[in-house]
Amino acid sequence: MKNSKNNPFQVVRNAVNTIFANKAILFPFSIILFTQFLILEICFFIPQYPLVEFFGPIIRAFYSEQYLHYPANLLLLPQLCQIAQIPVFIFLSSYCIGFAVSIIAAINEGKPVEVKKLARDTFGQYIHLVLATLLTYLLVTGGFKIFQLVYERALEIRSTSGKFFLLKMSVIQGAPYINLLISVFFSALMAYLIPIIILEKKKIIAALIGNFKTFFKAPFFTFSIIFIPSIFYVPVLLLRHNLSTIATFPELSVILIILSLFILFIIDSIVYTSLTTYYLVKKEDK
Amino acid sequence: MKKTYLTFVIVLVAVFLILFFLGQRSEYAAEKALWKINQQMMEVGKDPNIVPDVTFLKIHRQYKEFTRKHAKSKLAPVANILSARIFILKKDFDKAREILEEVVEIYKDEPDIAVQAVSEIALTYQQQQSFLKMVDVFKRMKNEYPTTELGFLAPLRIGQFYASQNELTQAQRYFNEAIEHYNNLIAQNADDQQVVFNAMRSKAVCYMGQEQWQNAVDIFGEVLLKFAESELLTGAKAERIIKSINTISMVNIKSYEMPIKIYTQFIEKYPQHQFVPSLAKMKDSFVLLEKEKAIIEIK
């Protein structure tokens, strides 16, 4: 697998070709996707027997009775899925991404992909992987919270024309896309953490230092590798925030969730393949 | 790996199918089905004049099919009533009333549901502008379903209807009848807190309809003091009563004496009550306003 070193488009294109040539890379991401679909199914059927017997009191306590009835439950569904994804991201995705990095490394070295062996080896670094994703999650969430303060301040702007009004509308209308950029930025900041933990067998602190060293050698390049595939998520954001037909077709929210899960599956596969192959090439050059 | 992918797909499909079929007899399935039919009725309701007759009949058949398929659902009575409402949209009021009388007969042992169907009959007469027949239906609700919420409010609604038509003599007459009716209910059901609570509030609204503002504030104040520690006086209901006392005093009576008196009595009688902090603030504001008003009058 060869990379044009400083061209992020080339790196991403090569990653896509690598995935097509070695579909085993998709296996760990498929595990994440399967789990996410299972969670979606459970959240979807919460208002119905038999799940309502267990989840009903929880929904009533934290939200209200109306979200156990059609179609209000479908309005709550994206939020429920998002909350359920947090432990999946920290405890499962961390492992699966590490597993994927192991597979990519094996392919790069020309070794056979022994799935069970690689899965076992990855498990040896599980604690550090969990800490790495927890740290990334906290950073991204922190970024979202800071933007939320900016958003709330923008809402207070009373101008109805001029530069302040423009600023207000940019923040309000652009909120979903700004959040996407924040997520991409902080993901880029921690982009090499998991590859270093798996490939260098380092613990979390050493991996963090290695991550920042690698990131700051090519910050824009790293940001671009993550940003380019993330553009595929923009249509989902456009659909989600501009469709009034959800009122007459509530199931559209479920379709959007399914679509977004598939797109995230593709984005994650491309991003981590790109990052890992780029890191391996840099390592070979040294 | 292919086996694993196949396992994933099988597990997802199996979980979906199991949960889907288990949920088919649940209330949720009925809610979803009824919502979809209601959406069609909403579309028709936007401009019923351009909708062909066959569409009304199709929606009516869907409601009937719903009541057959989900006979045990809590939504079956709603669907029955809505199956008549489609004919109200079509302006076929006789057909609507025929269906509603059938609903009354079906639910004759369930007065809370039957009275809703009777209330819809009143709506058909209102739409036809047969106001005398509408009033007769309100009287029917009052006589045949006195313990239901709609039956309870029926005497008040008659007075409010005539007031809205500017027929003040008739309005006064029916408000007086309603007040007498509620007084009788209070006397006959002195031990039933729910009846007394609702009757007193309805009586106060009657006085408001008659513009007897002092009496209205007196009754509202009495309700607040009598039911302060009852579960019947929820936060929302208390808020509405307090708002009514304040608004009537400020706008109609133009004096703050009554609310000051009521809130002072409340604070003295229930010093630990959760409403006391906000009532104390209101009372202090009114005392200040009353002093300022007195200064202006002296000047």
Side-chain angles (χ1 to χ4, degrees), chain A residues 16-230:
Chain A
V16 173
N17 292 336
T18 306
I19 292 169
F20 273 110
N22 305 277
K23 295 192 180 57
I25 295 171
L26 294 176
F27 178 63
F29 298 106
S30 307
I31 298 173
I32 301 171
L33 188 63
F34 163 73
T35 312
Q36 288 170 331
F37 274 133
L38 200 57
I39 286 171
L40 175 61
E41 279 186 0
I42 291 169
C43 291
F44 181 77
F45 284 104
I46 278 176
Q48 301 183 50
Y49 179 83
L51 296 180
V52 71
E53 305 296 324
F54 178 74
F55 290 105
I58 298 171
I59 300 293
R60 280 186 201 100
F62 286 98
Y63 299 97
S64 85
E65 175 68 36
Q66 67 164 330
Y67 293 112
L68 289 172
H69 301 275
Y70 186 90
N73 66 303
L74 295 176
L75 295 175
L76 186 65
L77 186 64
Q79 199 178 339
L80 281 182
C81 286
Q82 212 168 8
I83 291 169
Q85 298 298 351
I86 297 169
V88 169
F89 176 67
I90 293 169
F91 295 106
L92 178 67
S93 298
S94 53
Y95 171 77
C96 291
I97 292 169
F99 184 15
V101 168
S102 311
I103 292 173
I104 297 163
I107 292 167
N108 187 61
E109 287 164 21
K111 292 180 186 171
V113 177
E114 292 170 37
V115 172
K116 284 183 184 169
K117 182 181 179 300
L118 290 171
R120 246 191 337 266
D121 292 345
T122 307
F123 197 73
Q125 300 288 91
Y126 183 62
I127 296 289
H128 305 289
L129 291 169
V130 167
L131 288 172
T133 39
L134 181 62
L135 207 54
T136 310
Y137 169 74
L138 289 172
L139 269 175
V140 172
T141 309
F144 289 159
K145 293 262 187 261
I146 291 170
F147 177 69
Q148 184 64 24
L149 294 173
V150 171
Y151 184 88
E152 281 165 12
R153 182 62 190 88
L155 284 175
E156 288 174 20
I157 295 173
R158 288 185 201 173
S159 305
T160 52
S161 61
K163 60 183 177 201
F164 286 112
F165 175 70
L166 263 173
L167 179 66
K168 175 182 175 176
M169 293 320 287
S170 304
V171 171
I172 291 170
Q173 301 287 345
Y177 312 101
I178 296 170
N179 276 325
L180 178 65
L181 273 175
I182 289 169
S183 169
V184 167
F185 174 74
F186 284 107
S187 299
L189 195 62
M190 309 294 265
Y192 300 104
L193 201 48
I194 291 180
I196 291 172
I197 288 171
I198 295 294
L199 300 173
E200 312 287 355
K201 300 270 186 274
K202 285 198 171 150
K203 293 187 179 170
I204 184 70
I205 304 291
L208 261 173
I209 295 166
N211 167 70
F212 288 129
K213 272 185 186 165
T214 314
F215 173 76
F216 284 112
K217 276 180 190 160
F220 182 73
F221 179 81
T222 308
F223 179 85
S224 303
I225 289 179
I226 298 177
F227 179 73
I228 293 164
S230 301

Side-chain angles (χ1 to χ4, degrees), chain A residues 27 30 34 37-38 41 45 47-49 69-71 73 115 247-248 250-251, chain B residues 1 4-5 8 11-12 15-16 19-20 22-23 26 28 31-32 35-36 39:
Chain A
F27 178 63
S30 307
F34 163 73
F37 274 133
L38 200 57
E41 279 186 0
F45 284 104
Q48 301 183 50
Y49 179 83
H69 301 275
Y70 186 90
N73 66 303
V115 172
T248 49
E251 283 78 4
Chain B
M1 218 170 290
T4 314
Y5 288 138
F8 287 163
V11 166
L12 287 174
V15 167
F16 182 87
L19 292 175
F20 178 78
L22 281 175
S26 70
Y28 182 85
E31 285 167 9
K32 190 171 168 181
W35 188 87
K36 290 187 189 305
Q39 284 298 108

Side-chain angles (χ1 to χ4, degrees), chain B residues 189-225:
Chain B
N189 299 279
D191 295 331
D192 191 332
Q193 292 279 290
Q194 176 84 60
V195 171
V196 172
F197 179 70
N198 290 336
M200 285 177 75
R201 283 163 62 222
S202 302
K203 214 171 111 175
V205 175
C206 288
Y207 280 129
M208 284 170 68
Q210 289 182 315
E211 296 188 7
Q212 291 192 42
W213 308 114
Q214 194 68 52
N215 287 338
V217 171
D218 280 340
I219 304 278
F220 278 132
E222 221 180 297
V223 170
L224 206 57
L225 288 163

Side-chain angles (χ1 to χ4, degrees), chain B residues 253-278:
Chain B
I253 303 174
K254 294 185 175 37
S255 164
Y256 310 107
E257 279 180 37
M258 282 304 300
I260 292 170
K261 184 181 160 194
I262 292 167
Y263 301 153
T264 307
Q265 278 180 303
F266 190 99
I267 293 164
E268 281 170 8
K269 201 172 172 187
Y270 307 103
Q272 303 300 323
H273 200 284
Q274 57 170 327
F275 297 157
V276 162
S278 46

